[in-house]
Amino acid sequence: MKTVLVTGGSRGIGKAIVEKFAKNGYNVILNYNKSLEAAQKIENEFKNIKIFKADVTNRKEVQAMIDYTNSIFGEIDILINNAGTGCTGLLQDITVEEWQDVFNVNMNGVFNCTQIVLPQMLKKHCGKIINISSIWGMVGASCEVAYSASKAAVIGFTKALAKEIGPSGITVNAIAPGIIMTDMVSQYTLEEFEDIRNQIPLGEIGSTIDIANAVFFLASEEANYITGQIISPNGGWVI
Ligand code: NAP
């Protein structure tokens, strides 16, 4: 059975991804950072899920997580870089610490996990890496410059790495979700959600399952010829 590592699997989109793979019989490592109780609750529901606490910005913790995964389930077949954080405000108002925190989690976390997992994929000449970007990494969002820039960096990383390791049999793709109902968008008011819904051709705010389904497809053998692509489940909001 294949082994998948999902970063930020304790809540929101990551939780839906973890559950999708677990229901389909994969061995799943659910990475969390702060949400221990939420992670334990998911682990208790499935025999094939193990949880591991690691801050993706901390290389030692990421290395420990990869070592733990290898000791429990063997080599990692699929890496899903989902952990992410937001930052809203005018560019002139955000602090240097806020800027660095967003890049540390959203981009450096992807780099840390990918670079540490990569040798085992290169050795067996196969593997799938899926990074969670955002529509804002594609088109930019006002008052989310740091977030948009970090998610655009993830897109550049995805495309460049796909070219670099395609010859080694490894695919690298990104999902760029539109607006998805999770804690990350809890700052929006009902009126703001209604306004956004009216701008979306399919007329719905996205659900975490919509993203889990797209990730699951990219991780499957049916997507073997797809690499370096940015798939954007967004209800037609950004085309
Ligand atoms: P969320 O509900 O806020 O969950 C964020 C997840 O990331 C949590 O599981 C959290 O773990 C984890 N995380 C944060 N910092 C971490 C760190 N330093 N180390 C390890 N894990 C960390 O967010 P979400 O909406 O599900 O977002 C998931 C991904 O989708 C993010 O990359 C986000 O940018 C992207 N995205 C979301 C939307 C949207 O509308 N929701 C749209 C486009 C893209 P703990 O709670 O355990 O700390």
Side-chain angles (χ1 to χ4, degrees):
M1 190 35 68
K2 288 196 168 161
T3 295
V4 51
L5 169 60
V6 183
T7 69
S10 52
R11 295 185 286 119
I13 291 170
K15 174 176 186 270
I17 295 170
V18 163
E19 291 174 342
K20 175 85 184 176
F21 280 91
K23 278 180 194 155
N24 283 277
Y26 287 71
N27 294 324
V28 185
I29 294 288
L30 181 168
N31 156 250
Y32 70 97
N33 188 28
K34 296 183 178 150
S35 303
L36 169 64
E37 273 182 36
Q40 283 173 331
K41 196 161 171 272
I42 305 166
E43 185 184 37
N44 289 339
E45 286 166 21
F46 295 89
K47 286 202 180 80
N48 48 338
I49 295 178
K50 296 285 174 218
I51 63 173
F52 195 91
K53 175 177 164 32
D55 178 341
V56 293
T57 69
N58 181 318
R59 283 191 67 102
K60 276 193 184 149
E61 293 183 18
V62 171
Q63 181 69 61
M65 173 169 69
I66 309 302
D67 292 345
Y68 173 77
T69 307
N70 294 153
S71 70
I72 297 278
F73 291 138
E75 284 170 349
I76 294 166
D77 301 291
I78 300 156
L79 169 64
I80 298 163
N81 286 309
N82 163 78
T85 191
C87 173
T88 49
L90 295 170
L91 183 71
Q92 65 263 35
D93 292 340
I94 67 165
T95 63
V96 171
E97 289 72 27
E98 284 173 321
W99 176 271
Q100 287 173 341
D101 180 51
V102 169
F103 267 79
N104 272 337
V105 178
N106 293 359
M107 183 62 255
N108 298 344
V110 173
F111 164 66
N112 288 335
C113 295
T114 305
Q115 198 188 40
I116 297 174
V117 167
L118 205 48
Q120 53 194 268
M121 291 186 173
L122 290 169
K123 200 176 79 188
K124 61 183 176 177
H125 213 78
C126 71
K128 293 192 189 291
I129 298 167
I130 299 157
N131 302 318
I132 308 300
S133 176
S134 164
I135 48 168
W136 303 136
M138 297 164 70
V139 298
S142 166
C143 297
E144 294 195 51
V145 173
Y147 182 77
S148 301
S150 71
K151 292 298 186 178
V154 170
I155 289 175
F157 178 94
T158 300
K159 292 182 177 181
L161 189 63
K163 289 184 179 175
E164 188 168 307
I165 62 178
S168 301
I170 303 161
T171 65
V172 191
N173 291 291
I175 297 286
I179 187 162
I180 307 298
M181 202 55 100
T182 69
D183 296 343
M184 192 174 269
V185 295
S186 57
Q187 79 276 13
Y188 289 115
T189 63
L190 280 179
E191 289 73 26
E192 284 168 329
F193 273 123
E194 199 47 39
D195 184 40
I196 293 168
R197 197 192 309 276
N198 287 333
Q199 296 170 40
I200 298 176
L202 291 182
E204 294 290 346
I205 304 292
S207 78
T208 57
I209 307 291
D210 294 320
I211 305 308
N213 287 342
V215 170
F216 191 75
F217 166 68
L218 283 178
S220 76
E221 294 194 353
E222 278 150 42
N224 277 355
Y225 198 53
I226 300 176
T227 196
Q229 302 305 308
I230 315 305
I231 312 279
S232 184
N234 65 49
W237 198 19
V238 169
I239 294 178

